[in-house]
Amino acid sequence: MKRPLYYLLCAIACTSMVGATMPMAAIAEAIQPQATAEQRAQADATNSDTGKAEDGTNANAKADTAEDGTATSTGTSAVNTESANGPAATPGTAAATGTATTAPAPSLRAQTNGTPAAISTTSPTGYAHTATATQNGVTFTVSWNDAPAGTATTFHVTQANGSSQAKARMDVPTYWDGGGQESACDPSRPAWASYYSLGTTGHDFTFEFTASGTYRIHFYFMDNDRNDPQNDKGIYYLRTTAEVTVNDAARPSVTQIVNNAVARCRQQTDGSEYGMALWLHDWTLDQLEYNHSLNWCSAESGLTRHQGTCESYQRIYLS
């Protein structure tokens, strides 16, 4: 029993002697796994690549510089090299060409929304008629072709050199035939006060001419954005006018229709004021149905479109 105890004490004493003569760093290195040594070799290689990047030869730095490019308001591609740490670099220098000595910080300007691009279109071609108006360098154009009476005529509205905020509306058409002049529709209806965005392709408005005579339509244009002064063209009230003359024997004017009715009235009554007034009253009621949309309000609409409001009945009777 004494001998095993003696051997154990000897082993402890030997271990203590070795620990005293061998540094702790050496002990740790001796017991370090092989995988750790391989990781250290990889770290050394990474440090070497980082040093190369600091010399301006790292491809990632070029990629970051290329991502800093933005398009200008005219649609031309340009590189924005201004960063948060300094002014824009001069074209042709190392910073402008993407070989900066350090990877550029993300550009603050590149992250903002640029001013909407100005719209520049040429005047529409292929139309028989055009009407234009110009203000502050912006041209507003209405174009249309002749169409048979009773079919919709399209008015193509465009703009040149305006902004993306540009819009237009078509006002109520007015009609006259040598007699009285009137609005064909009720101007208080929302349809005639609504503005539509023109964008880059313009907007189409339509109207159907149903009687011989002259129609005049005003088109209104605005291009302003008070919340964005750089995009505000300062146009709040620009007008151009389309005038269309209809001469179709199959679609007589309001005056012709009324004159024909009066001639029949004289033939079919005794000529008394009461008799003629009653005949014309009944004839008027037969010409149209009440327009529940409240849009049509004229003698033109009542006699040629056969619909109208109370104002239509009154205008027809007074004609």
Side-chain angles (χ1 to χ4, degrees):
M1 293 296 292
K2 295 181 178 180
R3 182 170 295 180
L5 181 60
Y6 173 76
Y7 289 152
L8 177 61
L9 294 174
C10 290
I12 295 173
C14 292
T15 303
S16 300
M17 293 174 63
V18 172
T21 58
M22 191 172 184
M24 293 301 297
I27 294 174
E29 183 175 0
I31 64 176
Q32 183 181 26
Q34 183 65 27
T36 303
E38 294 176 357
Q39 293 174 357
R40 185 171 61 187
Q42 294 177 358
D44 292 341
T46 302
N47 292 334
S48 176
D49 291 340
T50 303
K52 293 180 181 180
E54 293 177 353
D55 292 335
T57 58
N58 191 352
N60 290 335
K62 295 180 181 180
D64 291 342
T65 303
E67 290 176 358
D68 198 33
T70 58
T72 65
S73 62
T74 57
T76 304
S77 179
V79 177
N80 178 7
T81 56
E82 180 176 351
S83 69
N85 297 325
T90 302
T93 62
T97 56
T99 57
T101 56
T102 58
S107 170
L108 298 179
R109 179 173 296 177
Q111 297 172 9
T112 61
N113 294 326
T115 301
I119 298 175
S120 179
T121 59
T122 58
S123 298
T125 58
Y127 289 92
H129 309 282
T130 59
T132 62
T134 301
Q135 183 178 338
N136 297 348
V138 179
T139 300
F140 174 43
T141 304
V142 179
S143 307
W144 70 98
N145 289 319
D146 294 316
T151 60
T153 296
T154 298
F155 295 89
H156 185 57
V157 178
T158 58
Q159 54 124 333
N161 301 323
S163 77
S164 60
Q165 302 298 317
K167 57 187 67 175
R169 73 175 177 91
M170 181 173 73
D171 201 8
V172 172
T174 58
Y175 168 83
W176 75 97
D177 60 359
Q181 179 175 326
E182 62 177 359
S183 295
C185 310
D186 186 342
S188 68
R189 306 310 300 166
W192 305 108
S194 300
Y195 279 84
Y196 297 87
S197 176
L198 295 181
T200 58
T201 59
H203 184 80
D204 288 340
F205 297 92
T206 59
F207 189 77
E208 182 178 326
F209 303 106
T210 56
S212 292
T214 300
Y215 291 84
R216 176 175 290 174
I217 306 176
H218 296 310
F219 293 86
Y220 293 92
F221 173 82
M222 67 168 59
D223 190 352
N224 64 86
D225 187 357
R226 296 178 180 178
N227 296 323
D228 184 3
Q230 293 182 348
N231 195 38
D232 191 344
K233 296 293 183 177
I235 302 175
Y236 302 93
Y237 185 86
L238 181 61
R239 188 182 79 177
T240 189
T241 303
E243 193 168 286
V244 177
T245 299
V246 177
N247 187 9
D248 185 348
R251 296 184 176 274
S253 68
V254 169
T255 298
Q256 289 174 321
I257 295 174
V258 171
N259 289 341
N260 291 338
V262 171
R264 290 172 54 197
C265 174
R266 295 183 186 280
Q267 295 174 354
Q268 298 178 13
T269 63
D270 59 6
S272 66
E273 290 186 359
Y274 174 81
M276 295 183 64
L278 180 61
W279 190 95
L280 291 172
H281 169 271
D282 293 343
W283 174 83
T284 300
L285 293 180
D286 291 339
Q287 301 307 303
L288 69 156
E289 296 291 335
Y290 190 83
N291 177 227
H292 294 281
S293 70
L294 307 180
N295 180 55
W296 304 104
C297 64
S298 61
E300 183 264 7
S301 66
L303 295 177
T304 65
R305 305 173 197 272
H306 306 294
Q307 53 183 324
T309 59
C310 298
E311 188 174 359
S312 295
Y313 290 95
Q314 184 259 356
R315 285 181 177 274
I316 293 172
Y317 199 81
L318 291 179
S319 297

